Amino acid sequence: MAAASAAVRMLPDGGADDEERWLAEGIAGVQQNAFYMHRALDSNNLKDALKYSAQMLSELRTSRLSPHKYYELYMRAFDEMRKLEMFFREETRRGSCSVVDLYELVQHAGNVLPRLYLLCTVGSVYIKSKEAPAKDVLKDLVEMCRGIQHPLRGLFLRSYLSQISRDKLPDIGSEYEGDAESINDAVEFVLQNFIEMNKLWVRMQHQGPVREKEKRGKERNELRDLVGKNLHVLSQIEGVDLDMYKETVLPRILEQVVNCKDDLAQFYLMDCIIQVFPDEYHLQTLETLLSAFPQLQPSVDIKTVLSQLMDRLSNYAASSPEVLSEFLQVEAFAKFSNAIGKVIEAQPDMPVVGAVTLYVSLLTFTLRVHPDRLDYVDQVLGACVKKLSGKAKLEDSRATKQIVALLSAPLEKYSNIVTALELSNYPRVMDYLDNATTKVMAVVIIQSIMKNTTCISTSDKIEALFDLIKGLIKDMDGAQDDELDEEDFKEEQNSVARLIHMLYNDDHEEMLKILCTVQKHILLGGPKRLTFTVPSLVFSALKLVRRLQGQDGDVTGEDVPATPKKIFQILHQTIEALSCVPSPELALRLYLQCAEAANDCDLEPVAYEFFTQAFILYEEEIADSKAQITAIHLIIGTLQRMNIFGVENRDTLTHKTTGYSAKLLKKPDQCRAVYACSHLFWTDDQDGIMDGERVLLCLKRALRIANAAQQMANATRGSSRSVTLFIEILNK
């Protein structure tokens, strides 16, 4: 031990060139002594073979090399030790030397490290010879290796012990199997070696100056597989059944993981446990495994490890329908939910993104294992709301991204927004998103509805839906108009308009409620949105009017049945809002559409009112000459198709229309509008008007305007282009 203590020297400060030189010197020492060892082996000189092998192994006593370089040197020596082991085996087989004598002989080596490497090598032969129980030799070796306490040298020595013993464990079915207790001895040997290796590995972090802490962390990371191999060996032992794993293996491993209080070791070893042991074992020991997570260091990336565990178990659940019953028996969801709550409680400084990521993993697990349990899904969302409560809207982009993932998961799983609308905590989670992300999420929801052609058929569901997509249908608090990209805004509003067209119910009363709900929300949307959303609502309402054609009734109160009159009242209020935008041209078109629908429903007063509103808009709001031309032709075309008006009302409307036509700015436009009015006095339907005298008056008036236009043209440009007007009149 004194020699070992003397050998514990800190790695001296040296550059990469120095380290390469030290490695080269070490390799040269190994090769030189290996040469003499081989020569002694060839001449069957056991004494010299042991002497030179000990000198060769003394090169591993260096403290100058980094773990990466030390590994290179170790592998050179390891290769030579395999040859020495073969020689020992051959010698004992021939009877030239007793393995017991050899086991005692190598213990006379001068330095502790070479002595223990030789002892492990001969121990391998000793077990192979079966002259002593494997468990006794292994116990002896694992205890003796305590003689090396230098972290790096001790790790590689125990790694060597693990390597040469892994095929010689007294396992069930193994040629080295002993009595009924031998399996416990095999497990105890591996566990003890693992625990000692982990202690050495952790101790490396605390050696050397503080300024090199990060460097030591990287070096330790390179050595992690040396420790993890022990867990792999444990998982391969046939005798480790579920009971032994539950009672002995897992508690001992977790005890070491928790007690080492090292974040790197805890993260890596928890990950190892999850990866190397069977999923069935994890499921049956879930409570024990999860109980360790809240005890880990706050700096451990628990979310990644827990996510991997849930991912593995959800894949296991998907592997067979029979497995699902096991998940219900062990109450896997409740245990995961409880564990995540305890982890978050144990780490009050955990960033929001970490907590939300845990809930995303739990929700993914729930949707894959218990897709029919909406209460579980809502419970996860509720736990997330609880974690976020008291906080303002999220500004951390990573946390926001995780919230979007959390909200998107149910949409992707159920392919039906109606299911998501049943989750009471869904909108509460959305409330924590910033305005921009709320819009993005709203677009995702609408796209999901479009993709799956989901029919939302009740006013309650639509109320809940519009609450979710409120970022698109009204201005959010604190939102700045100048932040909006015009193209993005148009795309968003067009998606809302498409959504309105998809709302449908065969029941007329419920459809009317739906329209009223939509109207309530879109009228709060502000002037910029109305031009996109009002037309969709109007045409959806007109579809219902067509279905109700022939029904009538007086409109009194709110609870009246769905009748065309009731719907036209709603339409009148809705279109009226467009007049304030202002968007008079669009409002005028919609009034005319409604007038035509009222005509088909035999509602003369309603149709007349819509025309009246259209004329008021024309007179008071439409000032642009091109817009006036378009508007007057729309009025003429709509009025021509109307067959419900009595003589008085029709005369009033046609008189107004011809008057407006004659007052357009340009003579050619006046002419075309006036001769178009001639159609108002001659219609071909069954109850049509055939007033030839007034048709002739219109055409003569158009002719006078055409003459005046030609005279003006000749006076100003000397042009006869207005002759086309005469041809058009002739055609009429």
Side-chain angles (χ1 to χ4, degrees), residues 153-166:
R153 295 198 288 270
L155 263 179
F156 277 94
L157 172 63
R158 287 186 175 277
S159 176
Y160 180 70
L161 173 61
S162 177
Q163 187 78 15
I164 59 146
S165 63
R166 63 188 306 169

Side-chain angles (χ1 to χ4, degrees), residues 250-442:
L250 183 61
R252 288 279 299 280
I253 296 173
L254 290 179
E255 181 185 13
Q256 176 58 29
V257 172
V258 171
N259 289 341
C260 75
K261 298 190 184 303
D262 178 82
D263 53 356
L264 176 60
Q266 289 181 338
F267 174 79
Y268 172 67
L269 294 175
M270 292 301 285
D271 186 49
C272 269
I273 293 169
I274 292 165
Q275 300 301 334
V276 303
F277 290 105
D279 297 328
E280 181 191 356
Y281 287 15
H282 294 323
L283 188 58
Q284 297 301 328
T285 59
L286 200 53
E287 193 164 359
T288 306
L289 183 58
L290 292 176
S291 66
F293 281 95
Q295 302 176 61
L296 302 181
Q297 297 297 101
S299 52
V300 175
D301 185 10
I302 293 175
K303 64 181 183 297
T304 301
V305 185
L306 261 177
S307 298
Q308 288 175 347
L309 176 59
M310 286 187 272
D311 193 45
R312 275 200 64 152
L313 288 180
S314 56
N315 288 335
Y316 178 54
S319 65
S320 167
E322 292 79 27
V323 174
L324 279 174
S325 60
E326 295 179 31
F327 280 82
L328 294 171
Q329 285 172 6
V330 302
E331 298 180 329
F333 170 79
K335 286 175 181 173
F336 272 122
S337 182
N338 187 41
I340 288 173
K342 285 184 177 177
V343 166
I344 292 171
E345 190 180 328
Q347 299 187 13
D349 296 329
M350 178 186 283
V352 171
V353 63
V356 177
T357 304
L358 283 173
Y359 288 123
V360 171
S361 299
L362 179 59
L363 184 61
T364 305
F365 170 83
T366 307
L367 291 171
R368 293 181 69 181
V369 180
H370 305 293
D372 54 329
R373 294 297 299 266
L374 276 182
D375 55 328
Y376 284 177
V377 176
D378 205 34
Q379 192 176 323
V380 177
L381 296 174
C384 187
V385 170
K386 185 179 177 183
K387 173 62 183 174
L388 296 171
S389 62
K391 294 180 172 61
K393 290 185 182 294
L394 294 176
E395 295 180 358
D396 180 357
S397 60
R398 294 177 305 154
T400 301
K401 188 176 178 181
Q402 289 301 319
I403 289 285
V404 170
L406 187 77
L407 294 168
S408 301
L411 299 181
E412 293 167 5
K413 178 65 182 178
Y414 297 119
S415 304
N416 187 346
I417 187 65
V418 176
T419 308
L421 293 176
E422 294 174 15
L423 303 169
S424 61
N425 287 304
Y426 197 92
R428 295 173 66 197
V429 175
M430 278 193 73
D431 288 341
Y432 289 96
L433 294 174
D434 58 50
N435 293 334
T437 315
T438 301
K439 286 186 178 182
V440 170
M441 200 62 231

